[in-house]
Every structure is written in C-alpha cells, then in structure tokens.
Amino acid sequence: MKSLLTNNIPLAENPERFTGLRLQRPEKVAGGLKAVFNSAKYVFGAMNIMRGIKALGKLNQFDGPDCPGCAWPDPDRERSSIAEYCENGAKAIAEESTTRIVNANFFKNNSIYDLSKLSDYEIGQKGRLTQPMYLKEGAANYEPIDWDVAFDIIGNKLNSLITPDEAVFYTSGRASNEAAFLYQLFVREYGTNNLPDCSNMCHESSGVALSESLGIGKGSVKLEDFYVAEVIIIMGQNPGTNHPRMLTALQKAKENKVKIISVNPLKETGLLAFSYPQNVKGIFGISTALTDIYLQIKINGDLALLKGFAILMLEAELKNPGSVFDNEFIESNTEGLTEYIRHLKQQDLKGLIESSGVEEESFYAAAELLINKKKIIICWAMGLTQHKNAVDTIKEIVNILLLKGSIGKSGAGTCPVRGHSNVQGDRTMGIYEKPSLQFLNAIEKKYNFSPPAKHGYDTVASIHAMNEKKVKVFFALGGNFLSATPDTKFTSEAMRKCDLTVHVSTKLNRSHLIHGKEAIIFPCLGRTDIDLVNGKEQFVTVENSMGIVHSSRGNLHPVSKNILSEPVIVCKLALATLGLTSKVPWHDYMLDYDTIRNDIADTIDGFENYNIRVRKTGGFYLPNCNRDGKFNTINGIAKFNIAKVSENVLEDDDYIMMTIRSHDQFNTTIYGLNDRYRGIFNERRVILMNKKDIKNAGFNGGEVIDIFNYHENIERAAHGFIIVPFDIPQKCTATYFPETNVLVPINSTADKSNTPTSKMVIIKIKKAVK
C-alpha cells in the first residue's frame, strides 16, 4: 500500500477521511512564544478582539473566572499581571466564550443523522447552545421547547418510574461546588445513589488507593512544596499538554536545584524543557531543562519499576541502618513494614527491571536519588490510574513515600494531578455512588429526610444497567458521556435503550446525537458568563487539585438570554420532580447562591464560615489529614501494601495500546487537528508505533491500517488509522481518544476502582480493507 506520510500533500486514497497528515520532528521545548501565538489565534478566531481581551484579562485572577480546563492550582499569594493562564487554558476559553451559536434554526436545518456524520471536532466548532431543545420520539430533528415544559416532561418521567434506581444522574468535573451539592441533594431526596461521574473514568483508582493506605483520597502536597522538594517524580502524566501551568512550578523547582525524574512511555516535550514566555529569557527562546533522568518505561511497567526502587532502597538501608528509611516515622505512623520487607526479599530485581522496560543505568541512577534524598514528591495522572493494577501501583507509590517519611512534611508527599477543574470538588460535595454513612447522616440531620444507603451505579455499571434496560432515564450535568466512556458501540446501544436522555451543556457534542426515545438538551452558563439573578451577580466556587476552594466569577455577557446556570437548572428540576413534598428550600437556592453555601457549611466538614472565607483573596484550604501528618484510616495509621507484578503475556501479533490526548485537545473537547509538540499535524486518526515493530510486522510508516481488540472474544474495530513511526517502546502503541475508545472493553477495568483500562488495551493491527 502506498505510504500516506506527506508534506502538505492531500491523502488522496481516502479524501473523505484524511485531511493531509503532515509530520515534523517533535518539539524539544514546551511553551515559549509559539504558545502565545497559538493562544491568540484560537481566542481571537472565536470572538472579537474586545471580548477576547476581556475573557483572558480576568482568567484565573482573584476576581475572575476559574479556567474550565485542568485542576492545577493557582499560586496562593499572587497572580501574574500579564497572563495567569496557559495555551490550552486560552483554547478552553475560546471554546466556551465563542460568539458562534447553535440555535433553533441550526437544528431545523441539520438533522441528527447529518450531524452524526461530522467528526467530534466539527461538532464542537458549531458554537454555543442558546435555548432548550427537545427531540420527540421518532423525530429526525431537535426542536425548541420552553424551559418549564421541558422540566415537566422530565419530572413526569422520573415520577413514573417503578423505582428511582431506574434513573442515572451523571456529573462532569466542570460543575461548580454549588451545582454539584444541589444535584446530589436532589438525587438523594428523589431516592437513589446512581451518581456516576467522570472520576470513575480517571482518578477513581487514586481515591481508592490513597483512602485505603493513607485515609484520604486526595493528594497531600501544596504548590509551594514543589519549590522546596529534593526529588519530584512525574509518572504517567504529560503536563505540557494536560496541565501546562505545572511547567512553571517545575521550572521554579529546577531553579531551586530540585531533581526531576520523568516516567513515561513517550518522550513528551513538556517533560524535557520549558520556556516561560512571560520573562526575558522566555521571550528570547532560552529554556530550562526539566528532567534529570527520563525513564522511558513500557506501558504498565510502573509497578515493577517502583518495586525495583524499593528493593534497592532496602539493600542500602540494610548496609547502613537508618541512612535511607525514616525509621522513626515508620515506627510511629505505619503498619505492615515487616511483611513488606519479606515480600521485597522474595522479588527478582533483574526481572523487575526487565519488566519495567527501562535502561539499567537510568534505573540505578533514579534509585540512587531516592536512596540519598529525604523530601520526595511523586505526581501521577491517568497513565497510572487506567490499568488493571492501578490501585496497587499507586499504593506502591505510597510505599516508597512511607519508607522515606515523605508524607506530612514540607517538600514531600502525594500528588495525583486531577484533570477537569472541579472534579475533586464534585466528589467533596457528595457526587459519589458510594456515599459514607457520615455524609448521609449529615444530609438527614440538615434536611430531615432519609437519603438512601444502598450503593448506586458508577459509570461502567450505569452503562451495563442501561444496556440491560434497568435504567430508563439518563441525565447528565455537563460532559460528553458517549465520547468519554469506553466501548463506544456498546455504550451507544445502551444510551439508545433509554426512554429519555437529558444533557446540560454549553456546546453541542456527540452525546446529544446518540439518544434515548426522547431527548432534551439544556443550555447552561459557562465559567466566563455573567450569572445575574434578580439583578444580583452570583459567583460559584471550585476546588483545585490541592484542596483549595476559591470563587469563580464570570465577566462576559452570555450569548443568549435563554440560558440558565447549572444551580438554577438543578433547582427547577427538583421542583418539577419533587414538588411540595420536598424538604429542601429550592426557591431560596435559586435566588441567592450564598444560601447554598450556608447550607454546605452546615453539612460538609471543612466549610465552616464558607461565605466569609471564600470571599477572602485566594479562598481557603480544606482540611487534609496527611498534610498534617495524620492518617484517617480505621486505626489511624498508614499501611504498607503488598502486590504482585503480573507479566503481560502477548501473542506475536499483539500490541499494547494506550489512549492519549493531542495538544489540541482537553478531555473530549477537540480544539484542532494538530499535536504540535509531537510533530503531528492535520490528522487525528493515527497510531504511534515503534519503528522495529512496523518493520517486523511488514507495515510501512504512513500505511493505513485497522485496529482490533478481542477481549472476551468480542471483536471491536477502529478503522482507517495511519501508522506514524515514533519513539515508543516495542510492542507499545498510542492513539488519541475518543477515536479509539471503541476498542476499550467495557469489562476491562481496574481492580477495586472499576476504572476502564484505557491505558492498557491489547490490540491487533491489520492492513486496512479497501
């Protein structure tokens, strides 16, 4: 087959699918003036100059909107007077604040069938939703509907169900604390804990591992800890694309002589070097090298790597007792060390190094740093959490930190880097299918109704329940459920079996096009929109990755007067469903968000004097037992964990695939078709492969292939992908999501957390069928 690697030459073999793939060498430095130019291009391409300047000028400032992108924290005491945002934050603002609109005429002129033929990128570029839309059973087009009529349809449908458990209420990490609190409150007064959320698909493994080992499902570090650490390890994370503002923290850490170890199957630009475009060096293209030791690991080799580190640390400790382990900390705060040491002594170090895939010299150099340093931060993201053994791998991180006493002291600790900007806050507010009895008791005490104790459906369980017709109504507060979830064909079939699907959204997305018998789309305000209620501007609050709760205030006029905020939508939904039987003051909540925060303060620990504290500059930190050197486990001490390393056995024609984001992407939102740092332009349907694997399999770079997964003897297929030779370990491949979510098996999930294993998909690659 003719190669389709080109230099600005259209891919003529399939002009309807391919747009002209262009490859360059991957960039060696993240940020810089290119990031500035790209930010401006996206923002001012989506709105006029004055609106764009206004949007960016207040973004992430103390009195402005919080970025709707990632959850990386803002500095505690200061904000840049030039720009407190990154390239991808600017892209997120361009998406949300665009003046392109989707109105009733748009839906009249575009059937669901026609829209479904568009790519996710093309769908997202249509613009902001401007009014409620309704799809009648059997209809081909959405049509406008009055807000109250739509709420009545939903309320009547929910009240007609045999049991509240026939409804599922999904939440995206964009929802504010106020919206999330009201949402879970309504759902529980309605009578179910079916509250799946995006955490189920990303950092659920982190929450389970940290809660069981350390007594809290959140990280322990503050931003300032990065500046005084001795070693920072970054595992399974690509900050240059997914959390770009983290690079300024890493740059500052390097200025303070901190050593950085990066662990990733791909050589990611954002881990190599960073040029800060707001200082003189950055303007002149002078960059800071970030990573001291780069461990290019095999996919899923992390547990073996960490266990190997622990063995070398143990050997050094036995040679010179007290020089490596923090024995006083271990004795006072942990249990299980004796069993853990016995386990380490039984391991084959050489086999572990081989399983990890890293070079021996680099492995020993990294271990030497851990042996000799005392203040260690370990960061991780979905490169660790979306594996079968994810919980055990994260617990192995905890083991390393416990050995060093690197929890509860300055410059050390756990750092799960969250994705969406309030995903952590939503969980704090009670968006969880397995609520604690303490939380439920607080709800009952405050509102005088008994919330259900039975656990509800998480995301994967919800999809199964819809497919089995156990769920009749699906309601989503934000997000793009279909594109975010695994096993796309299976999930699509599940959604279509619902009687009613409802989505609260800012923009059109694919989930609106794969619907139940009836469907409703509610347009909602975004972070940048001014939220005016009875002439008074409201604000909402969010919690970032490090447990800081702060305000977010919109400063742009909405593109339509027929859009409601998420808190108001939830209140109206509750009134239409529960009516006069409700014990909750929904009318009061709609009129003033201070009343919501007052009742959160009465219900959830750590939010005392909420309205006063959140109005202070920068907000406030929530309590964190690990940060204080305490462990809220059953017996109040941290736990060492013992886990076996399982070898991934592959057939000769098998490969491991991990799904990744491009640089023009945040979660399921596609900003463009370029992956600038990796040197891939104008195309998303690509598969990154090792050059030796390409040759051994008889393929060529640029060849169009089809990808298959056969988990549980079910064929899943993703057709028409272009092979791109890339620096990735043999037998490992990478593709962009959501395009290859169709290959992620619904029944392949992480132990304990039930998170889909999107970073560990066994595939076969075949020549494309013409």
Side-chain angles (χ1 to χ4, degrees):
M1 179 177 288
K2 179 183 176 182
S3 172
L4 294 182
L5 293 186
T6 69
N7 292 309
N8 293 318
I9 300 173
L11 301 171
E13 289 203 11
N14 194 339
E16 292 183 356
R17 173 172 293 159
F18 302 117
T19 57
L21 172 64
R22 179 169 56 89
L23 299 181
Q24 295 180 356
R25 291 186 183 277
E27 296 191 5
K28 296 181 179 180
V29 179
L33 291 180
K34 276 189 180 180
V36 176
F37 296 146
N38 273 279
S39 299
K41 180 183 75 173
Y42 278 91
V43 170
F44 299 121
M47 65 199 81
N48 64 50
I49 292 177
M50 293 306 298
R51 184 176 173 89
I53 291 173
K54 192 173 182 180
L56 294 177
K58 287 290 187 180
L59 182 60
N60 292 325
Q61 300 295 336
F62 291 121
D63 58 347
D66 187 60
C67 179
C70 79
W72 189 253
D74 305 306
D76 281 348
R77 302 176 185 87
E78 59 194 28
R79 295 288 191 275
S80 168
S81 59
I82 301 173
E84 191 57 65
Y85 54 86
C86 65
E87 177 186 350
N88 277 3
K91 292 175 184 175
I93 291 302
E95 285 283 313
E96 179 177 285
S97 303
T98 180
T99 50
R100 294 190 290 266
I101 61 171
V102 173
N103 55 22
N105 285 334
F106 173 88
F107 285 106
K108 182 179 180 180
N109 296 325
N110 293 275
S111 69
I112 290 173
Y113 174 75
D114 290 335
L115 292 171
S116 68
K117 292 188 291 184
L118 301 177
S119 68
D120 286 67
Y121 168 65
E122 291 168 324
I123 292 170
Q125 291 303 300
K126 296 303 179 185
R128 285 288 298 269
L129 297 161
T130 59
Q131 60 194 108
M133 303 302 298
Y134 173 54
L135 183 71
K136 296 177 180 177
E137 184 173 357
N141 296 64
Y142 278 96
E143 60 185 47
I145 187 172
D146 180 78
W147 280 101
D148 289 337
V149 174
F151 284 121
D152 285 343
I153 290 173
I154 300 168
N156 290 335
K157 188 63 185 179
L158 289 174
N159 287 325
S160 72
L161 300 179
I162 296 173
T163 168
D165 289 333
E166 289 186 326
V168 156
F169 300 89
Y170 175 76
T171 312
S172 160
R174 190 204 67 220
S176 66
N177 286 340
E178 292 76 10
F181 180 78
L182 296 181
Y183 194 51
Q184 64 81 28
L185 189 62
F186 157 66
V187 170
R188 292 194 165 104
E189 190 177 21
Y190 173 63
T192 184
N193 282 314
N194 288 345
L195 282 161
D197 72 331
C198 56
S199 277
N200 298 150
M201 295 179 282
C202 56
H203 269 287
E204 196 68 58
S205 299
S206 300
V208 172
L210 294 176
S211 294
E212 292 184 354
S213 296
L214 301 175
I216 185 172
K218 301 178 182 182
S220 66
V221 299
K222 294 181 178 181
L223 190 57
E224 62 197 39
D225 288 317
F226 280 73
Y227 313 144
V228 295
E230 293 178 307
V231 178
I232 298 171
I233 305 179
I234 304 168
M235 305 186 71
Q237 184 197 358
N238 177 18
T241 289
N242 301 333
H243 313 91
R245 286 199 300 157
M246 181 178 177
L247 299 184
T248 58
L250 296 178
Q251 184 182 53
K252 190 170 182 178
K254 290 304 299 177
E255 291 171 355
N256 293 338
K257 310 302 181 184
V258 178
K259 296 294 184 180
I260 296 178
I261 301 170
S262 293
V263 183
N264 201 301
L266 297 174
K267 284 282 185 73
E268 299 288 16
T269 301
L271 293 170
L272 299 177
F274 174 59
S275 177
Y276 186 46
Q278 293 190 39
N279 62 27
V280 175
K281 287 184 178 180
I283 292 172
F284 285 99
I286 300 172
S287 63
T288 301
L290 297 179
T291 296
D292 295 281
I293 301 173
Y294 206 115
L295 302 177
Q296 194 168 8
I297 200 167
K298 291 179 183 176
I299 294 175
N300 195 235
D302 308 272
L303 179 57
L305 178 76
L306 292 164
K307 205 170 290 290
F309 286 161
I311 290 172
L312 290 185
M313 291 165 63
L314 174 61
E315 290 177 356
E317 171 70 13
L318 293 175
K319 289 178 183 177
N320 189 5
S323 65
V324 180
F325 293 177
D326 187 335
N327 292 310
E328 182 179 349
F329 172 89
I330 293 170
E331 179 68 25
S332 302
N333 296 287
T334 74
E335 66 178 7
L337 177 64
T338 302
E339 294 80 3
Y340 181 59
I341 289 176
R342 186 183 304 124
H343 166 73
L344 291 179
K345 290 179 177 179
Q346 297 170 351
Q347 304 305 302
D348 173 20
L349 178 59
K350 185 175 181 181
L352 291 172
I353 298 173
E354 185 177 332
S355 294
S356 75
V358 305
E359 296 177 352
E360 276 198 34
E361 183 179 351
S362 298
F363 170 83
Y364 280 99
E368 193 68 19
L369 283 177
L370 297 180
I371 288 168
N372 293 320
K373 303 298 183 182
K374 298 183 182 301
K375 297 193 296 182
I376 300 165
I377 294 173
I378 304 183
C379 310
W380 69 92
M382 289 185 285
L384 261 63
T385 65
Q386 294 180 328
H387 291 275
K388 177 76 172 171
N389 60 354
V391 171
D392 279 335
T393 298
I394 296 164
K395 286 184 175 181
E396 201 67 36
I397 287 176
V398 172
N399 288 344
I400 297 289
L401 296 175
L402 292 179
L403 290 175
K404 301 298 295 186
S406 276
I407 296 177
K409 67 183 180 185
S410 176
T414 56
C415 185
V417 184
R418 309 283 177 174
H420 223 150
S421 61
N422 198 42
V423 63
Q424 186 163 296
D426 288 348
R427 183 58 58 89
T428 302
M429 290 296 107
I431 300 294
Y432 190 32
E433 74 279 359
K434 301 174 185 176
S436 68
L437 287 178
Q438 178 185 1
F439 183 86
L440 296 179
N441 289 339
I443 293 290
E444 183 170 10
K445 181 180 178 181
K446 175 65 182 177
Y447 293 101
N448 198 31
F449 72 84
S450 298
K454 175 187 171 184
H455 288 175
Y457 296 133
D458 64 12
T459 294
V460 169
S462 294
I463 295 169
H464 279 296
M466 287 188 284
N467 227 309
E468 296 164 9
K469 296 186 176 181
K470 294 178 181 178
V471 165
K472 305 292 197 303
V473 176
F474 175 86
F475 192 106
L477 185 67
N480 182 356
F481 186 80
L482 180 70
S483 293
T485 46
D487 220 332
T488 309
K489 183 179 178 182
F490 185 87
T491 303
S492 297
E493 293 169 352
M495 298 290 289
R496 289 188 172 113
K497 291 179 181 178
C498 291
D499 290 342
L500 174 65
T501 51
V502 184
H503 294 271
V504 179
S505 306
T506 56
K507 299 186 72 178
L508 188 68
N509 66 53
R510 189 165 300 281
S511 295
H512 304 145
L513 310 177
I514 306 297
H515 52 80
K517 293 177 183 176
E518 295 177 276
I520 292 172
I521 304 171
F522 281 149
C524 68
L525 296 176
R527 293 272 178 86
T528 56
D529 292 324
I530 295 172
D531 186 356
L532 205 61
V533 178
N534 285 343
K536 178 183 177 182
E537 283 192 18
Q538 304 291 324
F539 69 89
V540 293
T541 60
V542 295
E543 176 187 346
N544 64 35
S545 242
M546 295 179 185
I548 304 169
V549 177
H550 61 91
S551 64
S552 178
R553 302 172 184 268
N555 67 326
L556 300 179
H557 291 289
V559 294
S560 168
K561 294 182 179 180
N562 203 15
I563 302 176
L564 298 179
S565 71
E566 288 178 321
V568 170
I569 289 172
V570 174
C571 289
K572 287 181 173 290
L573 171 65
L575 289 168
T577 306
L578 304 174
L580 298 177
T581 65
S582 178
K583 305 290 183 67
V584 179
W586 301 108
H587 284 103
D588 294 341
Y589 288 160
M590 276 195 295
L591 296 177
D592 190 343
Y593 299 172
D594 276 354
T595 61
I596 307 172
R597 287 185 285 271
N598 284 336
D599 286 356
I600 291 174
D602 291 342
T603 310
I604 301 178
D605 290 341
F607 286 86
E608 298 79 10
N609 300 314
Y610 194 175
N611 273 309
I612 295 173
R613 294 161 69 204
V614 83
R615 282 178 163 85
K616 293 182 178 179
T617 301
F620 61 92
Y621 280 92
L622 289 174
N624 187 303
C625 60
N626 291 175
R627 198 171 282 160
D628 298 331
K630 299 177 182 178
F631 306 95
N632 289 343
T633 57
I634 294 175
N635 59 357
I637 56 177
K639 305 180 188 306
F640 283 94
N641 182 65
I642 295 173
K644 294 181 179 179
V645 176
S646 300
E647 191 68 31
N648 297 309
V649 180
L650 301 177
E651 296 179 6
D652 290 344
D653 61 344
D654 281 347
Y655 302 87
I656 301 174
M657 182 193 80
M658 62 177 181
T659 62
I660 59 175
R661 297 179 192 168
S662 79
H663 193 61
D664 268 0
Q665 174 179 2
F666 181 76
N667 291 345
T668 59
T669 303
I670 313 301
Y671 303 135
L673 301 179
N674 298 332
D675 195 357
R676 179 164 59 86
Y677 288 160
R678 297 190 184 107
I680 300 170
F681 295 84
N682 300 333
E683 184 56 69
R684 289 184 53 82
R685 296 185 75 84
V686 297
I687 180 168
L688 311 187
M689 290 184 68
N690 181 281
K691 291 179 181 179
K692 291 181 179 179
D693 286 337
I694 296 171
K695 182 178 179 181
N696 292 341
F699 296 127
N700 295 297
E703 187 169 344
V704 180
I705 52 85
D706 297 331
I707 313 173
F708 298 86
N709 169 269
Y710 293 97
H711 186 76
E712 297 181 338
N713 295 316
I714 298 171
E715 182 179 276
R716 300 168 183 84
H719 296 286
F721 281 72
I722 306 171
I723 294 176
V724 172
F726 212 80
D727 184 4
I728 188 171
Q730 283 192 261
K731 286 295 187 176
C732 298
T733 68
T735 59
Y736 301 130
F737 73 84
E739 285 83 354
T740 51
N741 284 359
V742 67
L743 299 170
V744 182
I746 188 71
N747 289 328
S748 179
T749 60
D751 295 334
K752 292 191 175 183
S753 70
N754 208 30
T755 297
T757 57
S758 300
K759 295 292 187 290
M760 182 66 193
V761 183
I762 306 300
I763 62 169
K764 294 182 185 294
I765 301 172
K766 302 178 183 180
K767 292 182 180 292
V769 178
K770 290 186 178 180

